[in-house]
């Protein structure tokens, strides 16, 4: 089977807004301009009052899963926005490349109330685990992926998918939005359960809701969706299955590691 080398761009904007609907509405001009769709939004007001993150997905004309293709996808997107955006540094650790535009005046020209923007390219295509590409991008995300409830047809609790993202950043809000961007590829719902600060890293733990299959199958499916190489060997015991991707060396900013876990709900505390 041919390896999937399609790239997906994720553009996450932090917006000063009254509520989630206002934040999503503020991004609609940008969505139309770049030909994307809103796939996630979240409240970052616990770190910066009145702030919301909105993540937009769109395909890329570039292909490839290595540094050149990933970096080029981000760089070309920034160039299309204008010369002031193209000056920002692009970092890359496959399966992702990213750039941070931390310039409120510049981002505010694209999105009313915009404060900063993260642009990421991910290898592996745009097929998202547990989410339909036919969903209305202006509708709030569903609480759980369609057709997947907390219990199965026999009344048994389903396993839950968990995500831990470590981000090199100085602020907690700077970790939440790239973590939500990763989560948006795996689930239509993501609840932050814990933060931990261990400079220069901020760890964001998330519950991505119930999932179908046995524990190893769930984790392998999530790894396939995120794509890329460098994943650890799958670790499985009676109640957990876990795999981890780590950037080496640790990047100066951005996502440093991703851990995916499937948890037996009967032992989940």
């Amino acid at each position: 089977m041919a390896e999937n080398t399609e790239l997906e761009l994720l553009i996450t904007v932090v917006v000063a807004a009254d509520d989630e609907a206002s934040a999503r509405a503020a991004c609609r001009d940008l969505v139309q301009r770049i030909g994307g769709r809103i796939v996630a939004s979240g409240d970052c007001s616990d770190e910066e009052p009145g702030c919301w993150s909105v993540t937009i997905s769109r395909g890329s004309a570039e292909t490839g899963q290595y540094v050149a293709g990933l970096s080029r996808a981000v760089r070309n997107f920034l160039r299309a926005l204008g010369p002031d955006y193209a000056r920002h540094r692009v970092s890359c650790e496959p399966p992702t490349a990213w750039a941070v535009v931390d310039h409120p005046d510049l981002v505010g020209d694209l999105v009313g109330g915009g404060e900063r923007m993260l642009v990421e390219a991910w290898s592996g295509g745009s097929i998202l685990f547990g989410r339909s590409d036919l969903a209305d991008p202006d509708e709030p995300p569903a609480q759980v992926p369609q057709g997947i409830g907390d219990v199965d047809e026999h009344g048994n609790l389903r396993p839950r998918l968990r995500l831990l993202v470590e981000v090199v950043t100085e602020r907690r809000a700077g970790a939440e939005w790239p973590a939500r961007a990763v989560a948006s590829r795996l689930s239509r719902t993501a609840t932050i359960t814990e933060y931990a600060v261990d400079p220069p890293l901020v760890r964001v733990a998330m519950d991505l809701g119930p999932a179908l299959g046995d524990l190893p199958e769930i984790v392998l499916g999530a790894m396939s969706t995120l794509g890329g190489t460098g994943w650890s060997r799958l670790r499985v015991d009676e109640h957990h299955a876990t795999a981890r991707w780590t950037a080496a060396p640790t990047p100066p900013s951005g996502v440093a590691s991703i851990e995916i876990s499937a948890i037996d709900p009967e032992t989940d505390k």
Side-chain angles (χ1 to χ4, degrees), residues 93 168 200-201 246-254 256:
E93 287 290 344
V168 180
L201 298 174
T246 303
T250 301
S253 64

Side-chain angles (χ1 to χ4, degrees), residues 131 163 178-190 206 208:
R131 188 175 74 221
L163 178 69
R180 287 191 181 277
V182 176
S184 73
R185 295 178 58 88
L186 299 175
S187 175
R188 295 179 67 180
T189 184
M206 310 179 83
L208 304 188

Side-chain angles (χ1 to χ4, degrees), residues 37 39 126-137 145-146 188:
R37 62 190 184 90
V39 295
S126 59
I127 299 174
L128 305 182
F129 179 83
R131 188 175 74 221
S132 169
D133 281 344
L134 300 179
D136 183 348
Q146 185 176 0
R188 295 179 67 180

Side-chain angles (χ1 to χ4, degrees), residues 65-72 74-75 89-99 121 245 247-253 255:
Q65 59 178 323
Y66 302 109
V67 171
L70 288 163
S71 298
R72 188 166 53 244
V74 174
R75 193 170 293 112
R89 178 181 177 180
V90 177
S91 302
C92 186
E93 287 290 344
T96 184
W98 66 92
W245 172 86
T250 301
S253 64
V255 175

Side-chain angles (χ1 to χ4, degrees), residues 82-165:
D84 290 334
Y85 298 90
R87 298 189 182 102
H88 287 77
R89 178 181 177 180
V90 177
S91 302
C92 186
E93 287 290 344
T96 184
W98 66 92
V100 177
V101 182
D102 197 354
H103 195 309
D105 291 339
L106 200 56
V107 178
D109 289 339
L110 292 174
V111 174
E115 297 189 354
R116 59 188 180 275
M117 178 172 65
L118 169 70
V119 179
E120 298 173 284
W122 287 85
S123 63
S126 59
I127 299 174
L128 305 182
F129 179 83
R131 188 175 74 221
S132 169
D133 281 344
L134 300 179
D136 183 348
D138 291 326
E139 287 296 320
Q143 292 302 302
V144 293
Q146 185 176 0
I148 303 179
D150 287 332
V151 298
D152 62 19
E153 62 275 15
H154 304 295
N156 299 316
L157 289 171
R158 298 188 190 279
R160 299 192 74 84
L161 182 62
R162 297 291 174 85
L163 178 69
L164 177 67
V165 181

